[in-house]
């Protein structure tokens, strides 16, 4: 059988794409979210989208598949990412995928700031204190719906860890950090009600 250059590239791309699809659809490698709600659009953030949101000596380290854990030698604080949804859309749900195997409780928040020293604290919050050996867990914030007003508010998703590693850990399979932020997902309807 004879291959042209284009045919060979297509064949390699198909094999690589198939392997990537198999890896991405295997449950063990994905942040654990609930089934998407019909009629909603989604914005998803890996843990590596979140950055330290404190004046302390907190940093983060990448572990696997977009997940992060805090690294600190002098206390640690919250990690946040900006939530930028279309003007007038309606935020209906927020979920975080995480691991909490040891340490103090983790908190997950949705906040709004107006840039004039006013803020809504918080619009939605969840606190998880019960440890589990599960690698993936999901929490859904309860509240809302919230109509997005980007002309007045800047929105933020925040994770407050209850543990920090004093040193960098290795990558999978071991050691598994005691707390991880895998990802966050926001479900919304556009301003005209389309999902």
């Amino acid at each position: 059988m004879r291959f042209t250059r284009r045919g060979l590239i297509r064949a390699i791309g198909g094999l690589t794409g198939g392997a990537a699809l198999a890896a991405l659809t295997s449950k063990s490698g994905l942040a654990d979210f609930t089934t998407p709600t019909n009629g909603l659009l989604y914005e998803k953030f890996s843990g590596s989208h979140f950055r330290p949101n404190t004046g302390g000596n907190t940093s983060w380290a990448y572990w696997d598949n977009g997940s992060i854990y805090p690294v600190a030698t002098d206390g640690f604080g919250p990690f946040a990412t900006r939530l930028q949804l279309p003007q007038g859309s309606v935020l209906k749900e927020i979920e975080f995928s995480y691991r909490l195997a040891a340490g103090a409780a983790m908190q997950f928040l949705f906040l709004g700031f107006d840039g004039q020293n006013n803020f809504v604290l918080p619009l939605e919050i969840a606190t998880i204190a019960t440890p589990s050996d599960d690698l993936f867990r999901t929490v859904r914030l309860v509240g809302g719906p919230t109509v997005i007003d980007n002309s007045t508010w800047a929105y933020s998703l925040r994770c407050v860890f209850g543990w920090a590693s004093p040193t960098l850990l290795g990558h999978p399979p071991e050691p598994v950090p005691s707390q991880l932020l895998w990802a966050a997902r926001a479900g919304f309807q556009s301003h005209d009600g389309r999902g």
Side-chain angles (χ1 to χ4, degrees):
M1 179 176 214
R2 183 174 173 198
F3 282 101
T4 64
R5 183 176 185 177
R6 180 174 286 167
L8 184 59
I9 290 171
R10 259 194 221 132
I12 291 170
L15 292 172
T16 305
L21 180 61
L24 287 174
T25 56
S26 68
K27 183 66 173 171
S28 63
L30 293 177
D32 192 21
F33 291 111
T34 60
T35 303
T37 302
N38 286 334
L40 293 185
L41 300 169
Y42 286 91
E43 185 74 28
K44 194 171 180 181
F45 305 89
S46 69
S48 59
H49 279 94
F50 287 72
R51 295 292 184 258
N53 190 239
T54 180
N57 292 324
T58 305
S59 187
W60 62 270
Y62 180 88
W63 190 65
D64 183 42
N65 196 26
S67 69
I68 63 166
Y69 63 93
V71 178
T73 56
D74 182 24
F76 53 95
F79 286 68
T81 193
R82 183 174 184 194
L83 178 62
Q84 178 77 42
L85 298 178
Q87 176 69 17
S89 60
V90 180
L91 179 63
K92 299 267 187 146
E93 64 183 53
I94 300 172
E95 290 184 337
F96 286 85
S97 181
Y98 67 96
R99 178 172 199 256
L100 169 59
M106 292 177 75
Q107 281 193 327
F108 306 95
L109 303 96
F110 168 53
L111 304 166
F113 301 90
D114 72 354
Q116 298 176 18
N117 207 25
N118 296 311
F119 59 92
V120 177
L121 179 63
L123 294 174
E124 300 181 30
I125 186 170
T127 302
I128 307 297
T130 307
S132 168
D133 289 334
D134 293 341
L135 189 57
F136 299 101
R137 294 169 71 186
T138 301
V139 61
R140 178 178 285 204
L141 302 187
V142 178
T146 301
V147 177
I148 300 299
D149 179 7
N150 294 317
S151 64
T152 304
W153 298 98
Y155 300 99
S156 176
L157 298 178
R158 186 177 285 181
C159 171
V160 181
F161 288 91
W163 166 92
S165 174
T167 61
L168 289 174
L169 302 173
H171 292 285
E174 296 294 337
V176 180
S178 295
Q179 294 187 4
L180 287 168
L181 174 59
W182 288 101
R185 185 179 76 177
F188 64 98
Q189 283 184 321
S190 64
H191 68 281
D192 58 7
R194 290 184 299 172

